[in-house]
Amino acid sequence: MALPNFFEWQSRCFAAAFLAVVCASPVHADFQDQFEDSGKSIAISVFATVPYRSNGSTAKLNAITHIGNRIFVVESYDGRVYEITRGDTRLWFDVKAAIGNEFSNTDFVEGGLRSVAFHPEFFQNGKFYTSQDQRRSSNSATDYVSDADNPEPIDSVVSEWTMLDGGAFSGPRELFRIGQPGPHSIKQIGFNPNSVRGAEDFGLLYIAHGDGGNIEAGRGSVRNTALGKILRVDPTASMQSGYSIPVNNPFLGDASVPDEVYALGFRNPHNFSFTRSGQLINADIGSGNVEEINLVQSGADYGWGAREGAFQWLGTSRGAGISPLPNNDASFGYTYPAASFMHDPAHAGGLAIAGGYAVENNSALNGYYLFGEFSSTGVLLYASLEDLYTANTKGNPSTLRQAAIFRANLSFDHDGILQTAPVNRRSMLEVIKSSPMYATDSNRADLRFGQGPVGEVYISSKQNNTVYLVNDSTNSVDSTSSAGEAASAPTKCRDDDGDGWGWNGISSCQVEREEVSDSVDSTLPCIDEDDDGWGWNGVASCVFTPSEPVADDAAGSTQVCIDTDGDGWGWNGVASCVAESLSRDIDSVCVDTDGDGWGWNGESSCMIN
């Protein structure tokens, strides 16, 4: 597909008489008119619901993530992490309760628990990380990446937690804080899930942080602060600090920029994700004119607050207009969006982008980046990954090219019954409002996107306690089937613990042993966590061939013996070992992590009803 010439788009836009307001205004009476109409209808269904908040209000769902075959959703206000298993939701960890009085949700829009990220070796070390707002500490030893001149009494905080053998949690161990002058605080944190041991960013934690306020101070490109930046650290404690700086961070040793900074020039970079090739994609919310999709490169400056989208930003307050880039713009060195969309008169200031995920799993949406409009409309959007990769985002304004954005219609499985035809919807807002749990006093979608073990995409809403599955991202033959049924899904069955059972994006499934042939693509060793002779090497199931007797090295390990499937055998970071405690799950319910009908209830093995 030929990519649009952005200079020509600017020229069309500014030929109209409404220059001082918003470029999009004279061009699109409805902002949706700027999107290509491919005629594609995307199938979705209800995946799970989450309990109401403690005060009886709808759950403020802010993030969806996974580790291995396990899927988790974050509720911000109560600070809770829930695990979803076969459509059932249970409380996994209460961050607010663990932090205590310092936990802050006083900023209803952006406060509370923002994100959870599992270390890529979580099943070996039990480490995971959270980002949240906390009341400002009186501890003079608190480590700030940067502080504000006139800080609010709330800090952005990144914390480390450890899940111990037997299901208990230890922590928090605080990595660092960032002082806030206002809203637009800390956002998503995460690891590159496609990185492998030995790669330069394996085990490195990425942190997105807003510019610190709706006063539009434009701090994104201000170099001496963490505000409006994407940071990158090694969260592992060192002798000198609670974390360390990767040696290839782009500003390491530059006294004008915090060493932690990976890229700068963002306003409100809520969400990011990685493609299989390791490309970091970020969605940055604009000031009222342009919403951005950025291909994030190490050391790049994305322009806020001198630029909004591929335009000059004209003011110092929300609602300020934009103008074309100057002819000498290349000399400033800014990097521009790979794709963007603009506001319209009816929604100026009321639209926002919800960052999504690349679908790369041979499903119906393979090769697309799926995302949406966050707040007012809930429109589901997508762009070709190839077009995003080939966009020209630097240089002379006349050479800039952006990827086309397509709007999708929806085919909604509203009742989970195969015999019932799905209903057609134009947006996620229409789907969300049809739920009996919808918050009737709002007219908002408030979307968040997540991705599961085999690349399938999930969508949640802050307005109806619901998580939806994008069926067309699962490679299921019958994409309208209920999320609780495997149907005839050909998506590869991923077995993370080598017990013969895995997850195919829809349900538990039995692993075909011939998949072991894919293991040649992996550089990771074959890890057998249940001592059945089969393991997982980061790509596929594999035959485990110990170089020594299985448990002989166990005594040389300083890690606990972690048993993820309750069979009495585990992995201690060195070798298979006999587990003193057979499970890492908690509560007295019977929890089955591998779909074989047997689980662990905190005391003994048990049969799943």
Side-chain angles (χ1 to χ4, degrees):
M1 176 185 297
L3 302 187
N5 182 306
F6 202 79
F7 182 76
E8 293 174 0
W9 182 15
Q10 284 190 330
S11 299
R12 284 202 311 272
C13 178
F14 286 97
F18 298 87
L19 173 63
V21 186
V22 174
C23 173
S25 300
V27 181
H28 306 293
D30 185 330
F31 91 105
Q32 296 187 50
D33 293 342
Q34 67 194 286
F35 305 128
E36 303 281 348
D37 187 2
S38 67
K40 183 183 288 290
S41 183
I42 294 177
I44 65 170
S45 60
V46 173
F47 181 70
T49 58
V50 174
Y52 285 96
R53 298 202 315 258
S54 57
N55 63 6
S57 300
T58 51
K60 189 180 174 186
L61 304 183
N62 241 327
I64 305 167
T65 189
H66 78 280
I67 182 69
N69 295 332
R70 302 171 66 175
I71 299 172
F72 299 85
V73 61
V74 169
E75 198 287 317
S76 288
Y77 189 83
D78 280 342
R80 292 174 174 172
V81 182
Y82 292 93
E83 182 173 8
I84 301 174
T85 306
R86 299 188 189 88
D88 293 328
T89 305
R90 72 178 183 103
L91 177 62
W92 185 73
F93 184 46
D94 190 331
V95 175
K96 179 182 177 183
I99 290 176
N101 291 333
E102 270 200 13
F103 183 88
S104 174
N105 55 16
T106 54
D107 183 342
F108 177 76
V109 177
E110 300 195 39
L113 178 64
R114 303 300 305 177
S115 184
V116 61
F118 293 90
H119 191 279
E121 294 180 329
F122 169 76
F123 289 117
Q124 287 77 48
N125 62 26
K127 304 292 186 185
F128 63 100
Y129 300 84
T130 59
S131 58
Q132 65 274 340
D133 277 7
Q134 289 184 214
R135 291 176 176 83
R136 196 166 179 85
S137 174
S138 59
N139 184 355
S140 60
T142 297
D143 190 354
Y144 282 87
V145 175
S146 69
D147 203 359
D149 293 334
N150 297 294
E152 295 288 320
I154 305 298
D155 289 333
S156 298
V157 181
V158 176
S159 300
E160 179 187 85
W161 310 81
T162 304
M163 190 175 188
L164 305 173
D165 194 30
F169 295 91
S170 70
R173 183 180 71 82
E174 195 171 290
L175 271 66
F176 59 77
R177 294 183 176 225
I178 297 170
Q180 298 181 20
H184 299 176
S185 60
I186 197 163
K187 307 299 177 187
Q188 182 181 349
I189 62 175
F191 298 90
N192 178 357
N194 301 305
S195 186
V196 296
R197 190 183 291 108
E200 70 174 28
D201 69 342
F202 180 77
L204 301 185
L205 183 66
Y206 291 77
I207 303 105
H209 201 288
D211 70 347
N214 53 18
I215 57 175
E216 307 302 0
R219 300 181 185 90
S221 292
V222 176
R223 296 172 68 84
N224 66 349
T225 175
L227 302 174
K229 311 295 190 295
I230 292 178
L231 314 178
R232 184 176 69 171
V233 302
D234 182 342
T236 306
S238 68
M239 294 295 292
Q240 293 78 29
S241 175
Y243 62 97
S244 58
I245 307 297
V247 295
N248 55 350
N249 266 20
F251 300 103
L252 182 62
D254 184 339
S256 68
V257 185
D259 290 341
E260 294 85 351
V261 172
Y262 181 76
L264 65 157
F266 303 99
R267 178 180 177 271
N268 203 6
H270 265 266
N271 308 104
F272 62 79
S273 59
F274 292 87
T275 66
R276 282 193 172 180
S277 66
Q279 175 62 60
L280 176 60
I281 303 179
N282 169 256
D284 194 16
I285 295 175
S287 178
N289 303 299
V290 188
E291 306 298 310
E292 303 178 6
I293 298 172
N294 294 299
L295 301 186
V296 180
Q297 306 296 336
S298 174
D301 185 346
Y302 292 82
W304 177 254
R307 303 290 185 265
E308 184 178 359
F311 298 93
Q312 287 193 99
W313 185 60
L314 297 179
T316 57
S317 63
R318 188 170 176 82
I322 51 179
S323 68
L325 298 174
N327 291 333
N328 68 338
D329 187 73
S331 65
F332 295 98
Y334 295 124
T335 300
Y336 290 106
S340 65
F341 65 85
M342 306 183 74
H343 294 220
D344 61 20
H347 295 101
L351 297 173
I353 192 169
Y357 288 82
V359 182
E360 300 173 279
N361 60 2
N362 296 319
S363 66
L365 291 174
N366 185 67
Y368 291 104
Y369 175 76
L370 189 64
F371 63 107
E373 193 284 308
F374 166 76
S375 56
S376 300
T377 68
V379 173
L380 197 60
L381 305 169
Y382 62 96
S384 160
L385 283 174
E386 181 180 359
D387 286 356
L388 290 173
Y389 287 145
T390 56
N392 185 28
T393 61
K394 289 180 71 71
N396 189 293
S398 64
T399 67
L400 298 179
R401 300 288 189 278
Q402 291 193 7
I405 296 176
F406 298 88
R407 184 187 65 80
N409 291 314
L410 302 172
S411 177
F412 177 41
D413 177 8
H414 60 294
D415 59 7
I417 301 174
L418 291 174
Q419 291 75 21
T420 304
V423 294
N424 296 322
R425 295 287 183 258
R426 281 183 53 82
S427 71
M428 281 302 300
L429 180 60
E430 292 183 9
V431 171
I432 291 162
K433 291 176 71 172
S434 69
S435 165
M437 304 176 80
Y438 182 69
T440 55
D441 60 342
S442 79
N443 193 36
R444 294 175 59 94
D446 288 344
L447 304 183
R448 288 285 184 253
F449 288 76
Q451 194 162 43
V454 292
E456 77 278 17
V457 175
Y458 299 91
I459 304 173
S460 67
S461 170
K462 297 181 185 180
Q463 299 297 333
N464 71 351
N465 292 39
T466 304
V467 178
Y468 299 89
L469 170 68
V470 179
N471 297 69
D472 281 341
S473 68
T474 66
N475 198 18
S476 172
V477 171
D478 182 4
S479 62
T480 62
S481 65
S482 168
E485 299 293 332
S488 52
T491 302
K492 185 172 179 177
C493 189
R494 173 170 174 169
D495 173 20
D496 274 353
D497 61 5
D499 69 343
W501 287 87
W503 180 256
N504 64 10
I506 297 179
S507 69
S508 297
C509 51
Q510 194 160 5
V511 174
E512 298 293 335
R513 292 303 193 189
E514 57 264 29
E515 291 179 3
V516 71
S517 61
D518 288 344
S519 63
V520 295
D521 297 326
S522 176
T523 59
L524 292 176
C526 187
I527 297 176
D528 174 19
E529 293 185 333
D530 60 2
D531 197 41
D532 69 344
W534 289 85
W536 179 256
N537 63 12
V539 176
S541 296
C542 52
V543 177
F544 177 69
T545 307
S547 57
E548 300 179 29
V550 171
D552 283 358
D553 287 343
S557 174
T558 59
Q559 297 186 33
V560 295
C561 189
I562 299 174
D563 173 21
T564 59
D565 62 3
D567 70 341
W569 286 85
W571 180 257
N572 64 9
V574 176
S576 297
C577 52
V578 177
E580 295 181 5
S581 179
L582 298 183
S583 175
R584 295 177 70 84
D585 287 296
I586 59 175
D587 298 333
S588 59
V589 296
C590 191
V591 178
D592 174 19
T593 61
D594 60 8
D596 67 349
W598 287 86
W600 181 255
N601 63 11
E603 295 181 359
S604 62
S605 297
C606 53
M607 184 178 292
I608 301 296
N609 293 324

